[in-house]
């Protein structure tokens, strides 16, 4: 670190991915800091990717659509991987490498640009770590959700493209950031969003409550696949479930000698 060569990966089948990469092409002349890789099939399946091509870059950004039952308008960021079963690409119980500092940086840029270009009806959010592919390069997903109307929305595509460009060109390691993994809470991480945006803490992988019961292996995988050295785990205390589940989380962290803080303990 810091990363020098970035690859933006999108699927030719994905309208949001094509929207984002089309918008990004206008920035490439100024920076030259990234290249595009358009895949014929879905990008969540590792077997659809040319891993040799991917391995010649320092950081991979997957640009894609997001689907949800609520059909809410979203711009989202998350690390890929599976805490349990691999129903949508990757391998079960394995997550990809990611960078807490770069995720924080791109999340900040996404929020800034959504505000600047008046995308106020879109919710900007992190998501818990989920789905494939599984690759051995630091990476993240950045997505537009949740219906075809949003996937093809040019302003949304521009905002995501600008956030990516600014994150790539302005990325510097901040020695004051504290590095964390996040545990508990729902998929869209409302408590962790505030911390990522308004505190000194940089979050990489998020293990949501719906993947519980928590195991040592899940924590070890999250720590091992965070590029930076971990300072602590941040806990959504109310989002850990019942007292038994909370106790279980504390015991596992203690056994692994990992400090923790509750979200309420972090100055925002």
């Amino acid at each position: 670190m810091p990363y020098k060569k970035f690859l933006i990966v999108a699927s030719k089948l994905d309208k949001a991915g094509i929207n984002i990469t089309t918008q990004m092409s206008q920035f490439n002349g100024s920076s030259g800091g990234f290249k595009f890789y358009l895949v014929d099939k879905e990008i969540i399946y590792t077997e659809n990717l040319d891993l040799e091509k991917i391995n010649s870059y320092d950081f991979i950004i997957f640009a894609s659509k997001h689907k949800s039952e609520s059909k809410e308008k979203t711009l989202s960021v998350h690390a890929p991987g599976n805490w349990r079963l691999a129903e949508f690409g990757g391998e079960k119980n394995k997550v990809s490498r990611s960078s807490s500092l770069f995720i924080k940086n791109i999340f900040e840029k996404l929020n800034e640009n959504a505000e600047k270009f008046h995308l106020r009806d879109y919710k900007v959010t992190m998501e818990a770590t989920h789905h494939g592919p599984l690759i051995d390069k630091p990476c993240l997903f950045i997505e537009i959700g949740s219906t075809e109307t949003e996937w093809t929305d040019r302003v949304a595509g521009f905002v995501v493209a600008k956030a990516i460009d600014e994150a790539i060109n302005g990325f510097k390691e901040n020695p004051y950031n504290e590095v964390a993994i996040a545990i508990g809470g729902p998929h869209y991480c409302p408590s962790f969003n505030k911390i990522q945006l308004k505190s000194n803490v940089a979050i990489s992988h998020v293990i949501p409550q719906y993947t519980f019961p928590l195991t040592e292996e899940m924590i070890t995988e999250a720590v091992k696949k965070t590029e930076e050295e971990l300072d602590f785990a941040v806990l959504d205390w109310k989002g850990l479930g019942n007292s038994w589940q909370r106790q279980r989380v504390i015991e596992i962290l203690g056994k692994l000698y990992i400090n923790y803080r509750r979200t309420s303990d972090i100055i925002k």
Side-chain angles (χ1 to χ4, degrees):
M1 287 221 305
Y3 308 110
K4 297 276 194 305
K5 289 173 70 186
F6 289 81
L7 187 65
I8 317 299
V9 182
S11 165
K12 293 175 186 173
L13 304 174
D14 185 328
K15 290 184 176 175
I18 295 301
N19 181 10
I20 295 163
T21 50
T22 302
Q23 296 287 347
M24 282 205 76
S25 56
Q26 67 185 292
F27 296 111
N28 215 16
S30 61
S31 71
F34 55 84
K35 293 280 190 291
F36 296 113
Y37 171 28
L38 293 178
V39 182
D40 291 324
K41 297 180 181 175
E42 298 288 354
I43 55 177
I44 60 173
Y45 299 104
T46 313
E47 56 271 25
N48 292 344
L49 305 174
D50 179 344
L51 295 180
E52 202 172 316
K53 177 182 271 234
I54 277 173
N55 286 335
S56 61
Y57 289 84
D58 301 323
F59 200 101
I60 313 302
I61 296 173
F62 294 102
S64 93
K65 68 185 178 198
H66 174 70
K67 270 185 178 174
S68 74
E69 287 175 15
S70 68
K71 297 188 167 40
E72 192 171 14
K73 295 184 173 191
T74 55
L75 304 176
S76 61
V77 177
H78 71 87
N82 297 299
W83 300 119
R84 294 209 173 274
L85 298 177
E87 293 169 339
F88 299 101
E91 291 179 33
K92 64 179 186 178
N93 308 322
K94 291 198 180 309
V95 301
S96 287
R97 289 161 57 191
S98 205
S99 161
S100 63
L101 300 182
F102 196 82
I103 288 178
K104 182 179 181 76
N105 188 244
I106 205 164
F107 188 59
E108 288 171 344
K109 298 296 182 194
L110 198 55
N111 275 275
E112 280 170 25
N113 282 297
E115 183 71 28
K116 187 173 174 183
F117 295 97
H118 311 295
L119 275 188
R120 294 198 183 91
D121 50 343
Y122 280 76
K123 175 174 153 190
V124 182
T125 185
M126 291 200 309
E127 292 180 76
T129 299
H130 69 301
H131 72 61
L134 182 68
I135 62 171
D136 191 29
K137 279 284 166 186
C139 59
L140 60 79
F141 267 76
I142 189 161
E143 303 176 348
I144 301 174
S146 298
T147 71
E148 191 163 332
T149 306
E150 290 77 49
W151 302 338
T152 54
D153 178 340
R154 284 197 191 165
V155 181
F158 174 79
V159 161
V160 172
K162 195 161 180 7
I164 294 171
D165 182 64
E166 288 176 358
I168 286 173
N169 288 306
F171 182 59
K172 295 184 182 71
E173 289 187 79
N174 181 343
Y176 300 107
N177 281 143
E178 294 175 290
V179 173
I181 58 168
I183 304 170
H187 184 76
Y188 292 102
C189 321
S191 298
F192 302 138
N193 283 339
K194 287 179 196 155
I195 284 169
Q196 192 80 299
L197 203 56
K198 299 192 162 133
S199 83
N200 195 36
V201 177
I203 295 169
S204 62
H205 284 287
V206 178
I207 306 173
Q209 193 206 342
Y210 64 79
T211 62
F212 286 9
L214 191 71
T215 63
E216 278 182 52
E217 291 71 26
M218 289 158 83
I219 301 272
T220 305
E221 183 72 357
V223 173
K224 188 172 74 177
K225 298 295 177 65
T226 296
E227 291 286 279
E228 301 83 13
E229 191 174 335
L230 193 79
D231 291 305
F232 56 86
V234 57
L235 309 180
D236 182 340
W237 192 250
K238 290 178 182 167
L240 292 179
N242 57 35
S243 58
W244 179 87
Q245 285 175 306
R246 285 179 191 147
Q247 194 54 40
R248 170 94 180 129
V249 171
I250 302 307
E251 280 171 10
I252 291 173
L253 290 171
K255 194 171 175 186
L256 297 172
Y257 302 103
I258 294 171
N259 293 323
Y260 71 88
R261 288 191 211 165
R262 301 182 191 193
T263 48
S264 56
D265 296 335
I266 294 169
I267 298 165
K268 296 182 274 295

